[in-house]
Amino acid sequence: MANILDSTLATIQGHGGYANWGFFVLLILVAFCLIYIYTCVSCNGANEEDEVANKDIPLQQTRQGSSTVHIEKEQDKEQPNEERTNHDRQGKKRCDKDPKLTFLFNRHQYTEHSNREEIRITRKHTGNRCLTIFPEIGQFKQLKKVEILDTKLDDDSLLNLFQCTSIRSLTLSECHIESVPISLVKLKDLENLDLSDNKIEEIPPEILEMKNLKTLVCRHNKIKTLPQLNMTKVSKTIEKIDLCDNEICEVPAAFLMMPTLKALYLDSNKITTFSTGWDPNKLSTTLLDIDLRNNELDHIPQVLCLLPSLTTLVLKKNKIGTISKDVKSCKKLELLNISANMLKELPSHLFCLPKLIMIDASNNQITSVSALRKGDSSVVAVIFLVENGLSDFPEALIDMETLRNVDLSNNEIKVIPQTIMAMTKDVTLKLQDNPIIDPPLQVCQGGIQAIQAFYEDLTKDSPILKCLKTLILGTYGAGKTSLVRALKLGRSKLTKPGERTHGIEIAEFPLSAPDTPDRMLSVWDFAGQDIYYITHQFFLSAKALMLLVVNLEEYKCDSVSFNGKCGKWMKNMVAKVGNPVVIPVATHIDKLSIHGEVQRRCDDLAKRLEDQERIRLKDLERQRESINEPSMKSSGAARARKKQIESLLQQRPSIHPKPVPVSSANLNGIQDLKQVILDYATNKTLFPGVGHPIPKAWADTEACVERKSKDLSFPYITWREFTALLKKNVPNLQPESRIKTVAQYLHDTGKILWYSEIESLKNHVFLKPASLVDIFRKVIRPDLEAFIDYNKDPCYKEVGITQADFDRMKSDLVNRGVLHIKLLRCMWSDVEKECSLGETIFNVLIKLMLQFELCYDIDDGRTRDNQGHPVPRRLLVPWHIQDDVGDITKWESPRGPIISIQYQFPSFIPPGLFARFTVRAHHPKSKLHFYSHWNTGTLCKHKKHKILVLLKNESGEMGVEGSEERLVISLSARSESKSKSTSVALWETLIDLSLEMDELLKQWPGVQYKQYVVCPNCHKPSFAGLQKRASSRSRSVICYKCNERVPKNLLSPSQRTSSRLLSSTSAVDTSSIYLSDKSQPSDQQLLRVARGLGAEWESLAIRMGFTKADVDEFKSDHPHNTRQQKFTMLTAWRRRLGSEASTRRLQCVLQSAGVDYDAISCLDETDISFDLGNETSDDDATSSDDEEVFF
Ligand SMILES: Nc1nc2c(ncn2[C@@H]2O[C@H](COP(=O)(O)OP(=O)(O)OP(=O)(O)O)[C@@H](O)[C@H]2O)c(=O)[nH]1
Ligand SMILES: [Mg+2]
């Protein structure tokens, strides 16, 4: 522009006179038009990406003639119309705003910009076109950093760029480079070179001889062989080489002799060997970190073991079958990841390495861990042996005194031996997914201390656990209560017609039969009406025998009758428990007088039950196959799902093959039923706990609790009262940790309710769980309309509620699900009167309702009591909302694209699942503001991002007569306006919600479902599950249903965002969640770790090398904010270690210090949407859990 003006002025001056002014104006107009056209064209091709364009817009770009334009047009064709126009609009806007962009098109303007220090250019700036860098770039004498990403560069451009000798950091990623021009060595000051994602086949050895080079990254290329290095010339500065994701088969040993190299990353190659000919005395003394995961090594190469400084060695996913004694030379090794190999044994020589603190040997076939030999010692603090073939607890671990963290999940361990008493108490021991029989599973879940306490309490005269929890389920009027009476009394005592069970009735009685040991049954008789399922589900447990009762008189031998009376109940049990033990019982047989009719109907029932189970298994197998498809493999969620399916296929329900026919009227068949029940109750495989000794103190506690509950008018006491009661009445139950273990056992076996994990509830103990159901059923019951009556209960008048107020509040509840606290207080007035705690119990019960996800606080806790605690004024009980159409005008008006995830349930959807999900979605941590909530959906807005969220229960919408009912829940998000939100924020919001849904669905381990992503064009669920976005170059895929091209960012979250999906499935593949990142942890990651750290942070600091005085200094720097203290400590650690302070190293230290898993896994979370706020006190931060900000 300046040049045009100059020459024009020269023209005017040269010729003089006003006659030339017209020409001048014309020229200016033409120049402006040209610039405008250039500007728009340059931005048209800009890709719609997740991030806002970078502010530094550099380099000149040429239009490469017709072929380039053609590519651009093709690209445009591929985009949906709306997308394209938005591109155009956005691109133009960007150019208008940033006049510097014109610099792209004029080599003469290089001079103006020649003092730049950084240049960053991506496909956003260049579109699909090739970028030309002119020789004038050589004028850029200050240029230190150049990043060119996803942009094709021609050879001349590279040569020109390499003239710019001041460059220190050069990234040329996805630039279609096929060979590295040797002239690159002209960049004498170059320290960091990143050539990732190109097509490079060879690295010239000269690159590795560059005088100042510190890091060379050449990931994801086509390198097959590495250069032979001339050791006299090789760089004396290089610290890191990253050649992951290439095709290398052999590594020249010279790479291990580079004098300054600290980290060598070679994962995802085809490496089988390191070349021979190395001199052990010349091996690098600086090399700390080697990553060889995902290669083809069948042993640990000896040369690696001899590296004198090696601290981290990752050999995950190779083919290693044994660990040879060579490993003994690894004197400095701190961390060994040898997971996903073919190991059968962990040898003892591994444990003796003097510095080795962490071993990950998960996902092998290990069946034994050798014991340390006498005189050997070990410093190992962390051992992961997840998913191996251990059938015995590895006793070798017991003697390892330094152990702090042992994960033995997913093995075949049945018994934890009593020798575990010798193991140190500080160990975090994980035993999930083992078929443990002894000690009881509940005890093992409490970790090492609980197991040790159990064995300590177990004496020779320990009583035998004889009681079996027995759940009686079936539709209303099936004959459940009458059957329980017949079993208990041994005579007929039928309920009267119309006499319904409400909630749950619990009775305990002995059962005996000839030649079988007798057992006590704790019988839970559930009300049969559908709405009660909402509260029943909390009391259905795996370790119980279930009787599924069917009224045979009403049974019609057709599919409708089967499904209503039996099929759906069985599905329910299987969904909730996974592998329930069920005896179908056919009642009312006295009413069937036709000969053979009982037999006929029982046979029909049995056959249909069998068919249902067969179909379920087939479906599961189909699902397992579909997850095997290559496209599904990458998703962490899919892997978790596959694992769950495999376990469902393995651990099947035990359904008694024939329904047992009985009459509770004339007692026919009752004795046979008793025998069948006892056969199951004494089956050691099905109910290993029953018939097993339990600590005497436990039995005493149970008896004590039972006595106390009879004394109380309302069976509730505080935790303090509970502990005082036990300390007084039960000997040998000190210290409090033992009381906690037995309380946990009583909670798990349904004798009490005590939520130890929930801060707001852990001080409350309910001695009779059924009494809680009684309380909830005042709010959730089928006959609510008739049940609350102004004139029947004087309480309403007593508290001054007028009839009109009452009518309004009642209508709010019955029709809209809005429960006014004033009304609830009256509905629960009898509890308050009975309980000495008065109002306190009322608040506790509300917390419990919230905890059980039966309702949410509409006002988001905005109302506070005198002490500042939130007190809800109105609750929303979604089960009572009558409206089945919601106002979604807001949803329909914005124009941003929709991202939508669907959960499809092939045959059964857990009753109340959607309602509970909406309660979860309302939780403050979801940051959703609910606009409206109707029977089958909610419309919400994200409180931070400008995003609308629509949650819908679409079940039954496609219900075509005769076909299977469609059972679908969908989660959708769209931006309020396209320019303001991005697909990243949409995915962030949806992933949060889908993780909530996944978490909720874990409460029904046997439920079958599939997850889809909906096509934004045809609105059909065309794409399987939530997956990490593939890193291939294509930015769109074709929907197989509508054949339209769909941008990938609307179908799957970006790699960064999806990392949370992967970390959420850690239970399945722990090895994938750590040791993953070699980069320095960011401030945000450290903040999150600080947030997750508890009191153990001080010992962690010592482990990290700080002194007590350092810790005191961290504290005195921030006397009132412990999180800030922790954060300061972590940043000091990062500063101290410099480039060695990698995320993986931090994970390792955290693991070895026994830090809680959550605090460690948050290192993997994405950094998006985190911001720093003002300083608040620690307490404030804890009370507002949902806030990202804490100081
Ligand atoms: N003739 C006959 N009547 C029975 C038998 N079992 C139950 N009944 C009657 O069937 C009706 C329902 O029985 P309940 O035992 O109350 O049924 P339920 O399954 O407990 O019902 P809910 O509590 O509503 O879930 C009552 O009128 C009983 O008298 C039976 O074996 N023979
Ligand atoms: Mg009943």
Side-chain angles (χ1 to χ4, degrees), residues 620 622-647 903 994-995 998 1009-1012 1023-1028 1058 1060-1066 1068-1069:
L620 281 173
R622 252 200 304 268
Q623 277 189 52
R624 182 176 58 182
E625 291 315 307
S626 71
I627 296 177
N628 273 338
E629 286 164 18
S631 65
M632 299 285 286
K633 275 187 184 163
S634 57
S635 150
R639 278 207 311 277
R641 185 77 196 118
K642 185 176 177 198
K643 182 126 199 51
Q644 189 189 355
I645 291 172
E646 268 163 5
S647 113
Y903 284 81
S994 102
L995 289 177
D998 294 344
Y1009 64 91
K1010 283 185 198 159
Q1011 202 189 39
Y1012 292 93
F1023 301 92
L1026 269 182
Q1027 299 176 37
K1028 216 161 69 165
S1058 62
R1060 296 176 46 230
L1061 282 175
L1062 293 171
S1063 62
S1064 75
T1065 58
S1066 55
V1068 175
D1069 184 6

Side-chain angles (χ1 to χ4, degrees), residues 477 479-482 495 499-502 505 525-528:
K480 299 181 290 293
T481 307
S482 306
T495 57
E499 186 183 332
R500 293 274 80 93
T501 306
H502 291 284
E505 284 169 13
D525 174 14
F526 288 82

Side-chain angles (χ1 to χ4, degrees), residues 474-483 494-501 525-529 587-591 662-665:
T475 190
Y476 63 92
K480 299 181 290 293
T481 307
S482 306
L483 176 69
L494 297 181
T495 57
K496 296 189 187 81
E499 186 183 332
R500 293 274 80 93
T501 306
D525 174 14
F526 288 82
Q529 300 196 57
T587 62
H588 290 76
I589 58 166
D590 54 292
K591 295 273 189 170
V662 296
S663 162
S664 305

